[in-house]
Amino acid sequence: MGRTIGQRIAALGVGEAFGAETDSDRIYQRYYQWITFVLLLLAVLLHIPTFLWKLWEGGRMKTVCKDFGSPMVSPNWNGVESIRIVKYLRQRNYKTLHRVYAYRFLFCEILNFITVIGTIWILGLIFEDFWIEYGKAVKAMLSMDTTAWATSTSRMFPKLAKCVYHTFGSSGTVQKFDALCLLSLNIINEKIFAILWLWVVFLFITSAINIFYKIAIFFCTQIRMRILYSQSCGEKYGAIRLITNNGDFGQWFFLYQMSRNINPVIFHEILRDLIKYDQENVLYEKNHDDTEETI
């Protein structure tokens, strides 16, 4: 590298040995047979969080919300459906299930970030200096600098390379032959991995931001309440705290997921029925306690 094409080198990385160059100065690429498997491994790795969440979620939200996600209020929507959802949300044994539901989602979000880190590690392991060298290549690609692009990608994905063949001569002696190999598939590989470089960097940044956001939501009740309040179409803040058991993470998360999968008008009606149900229970428990004290 660092020599002008046409002056003792035929292409980038292809030419005669210079001065005190040794075998250790040469670059040997041995990854070709692994590219397909690497891409398959990364696809499986990045799909694991989605697979786990679909397995754990089991279509619960779809079953609860049914077909009420349309921008127009579904003709099937009525007070009976609202009561059905309210009773489902207020079953005692479902509070724990909602908490587990929320924790599993949080685990999958963290796993998303871990798989991105794993992807970065695998690419760095398979392709030496991948993140440094290909950062230059991507920069050249975005700036439309074809010369810099060719120089940056030639080390990792050469289109023309020197190949050494060992054969037996007529007397049985091993003979070594130099030849030029045209690696036309690398014209595609260099672009695939340029897109992959950009995509992984994008995933890393967005996943890191998302993790900090989810941690803030998990530890800060006020943030959770404000988020659900913004989806409640004007319900009182105190009522929002009441129906989420003072910000219980499981109760809040399930309601928040509903708000994202259901018509806002329908969700507002569910919240009103839920508030009414909880207020009546609080009033009933208070009156019941007063009666016991009188007795």
Side-chain angles (χ1 to χ4, degrees), residues 26-27 31 44 72 121 145 177 184 200 236 245 263 279:
R26 298 176 182 177
I27 299 173
Y31 58 78
V44 171
M72 297 183 66
W121 179 77
D145 188 342
F177 293 96
S184 55
V200 172
K236 294 181 179 179
N245 294 332
N263 185 290
Q279 287 174 339

Side-chain angles (χ1 to χ4, degrees), residues 60 64 87-101 250-251 254:
R60 185 180 303 176
V64 173
K87 287 183 177 180
Y88 168 78
L89 292 172
R90 284 300 175 256
Q91 290 186 48
R92 290 184 179 276
N93 57 332
Y94 274 63
K95 291 182 179 180
T96 303
L97 290 178
H98 290 162
R99 193 173 294 118
V100 172
Y101 184 84
Q251 294 289 325
F254 202 85

Side-chain angles (χ1 to χ4, degrees), residues 5 34 44 78 108 113 150 180 196 240 291 295:
I5 298 175
W34 301 106
V44 171
N78 52 50
C108 288
F113 186 64
L180 288 179
L196 189 60
I240 298 297
T291 303
I295 294 174

Side-chain angles (χ1 to χ4, degrees), residues 7-19:
Q7 296 179 9
R8 301 181 69 186
I9 61 170
L12 291 170
V14 179
E16 62 180 303
F18 283 76

Side-chain angles (χ1 to χ4, degrees), residues 236-248:
K236 294 181 179 179
Y237 187 78
I240 298 297
R241 292 193 67 92
L242 173 65
I243 63 176
T244 57
N245 294 332
N246 288 321
D248 177 77

Side-chain angles (χ1 to χ4, degrees), residues 80-201:
V80 176
E81 288 294 335
S82 179
I83 295 301
R84 175 185 68 85
I85 294 175
V86 168
K87 287 183 177 180
Y88 168 78
L89 292 172
R90 284 300 175 256
Q91 290 186 48
R92 290 184 179 276
N93 57 332
Y94 274 63
K95 291 182 179 180
T96 303
L97 290 178
H98 290 162
R99 193 173 294 118
V100 172
Y101 184 84
Y103 288 159
R104 284 177 171 176
F105 182 84
L106 190 60
F107 172 78
C108 288
E109 292 279 42
I110 295 171
L111 190 60
N112 265 328
F113 186 64
I114 293 173
T115 55
V116 173
I117 297 294
T119 300
I120 292 172
W121 179 77
I122 290 171
L123 288 173
L125 183 67
I126 300 296
F127 305 102
E128 186 180 354
D129 295 329
F130 176 78
W131 297 102
I132 298 173
E133 294 292 331
Y134 238 64
K136 300 174 184 176
V138 171
K139 182 179 178 181
M141 180 184 70
L142 295 176
S143 63
M144 304 300 288
D145 188 342
T146 54
T147 303
W149 165 260
T151 304
S152 301
T153 58
S154 62
R155 179 181 180 276
M156 205 159 295
F157 297 105
K159 271 71 75 180
L160 190 65
K162 178 182 286 190
C163 301
V164 178
Y165 295 96
H166 296 87
T167 63
F168 285 104
S170 56
S171 63
T173 305
V174 176
Q175 296 178 331
K176 185 175 76 171
F177 293 96
D178 277 354
L180 288 179
C181 297
L182 182 63
L183 308 173
S184 55
L185 190 60
N186 274 348
I187 297 173
I188 299 174
N189 287 335
E190 66 178 10
K191 295 173 178 62
I192 289 175
F193 280 89
I195 295 171
L196 189 60
W197 190 96
L198 282 171
W199 180 241
V200 172
V201 169

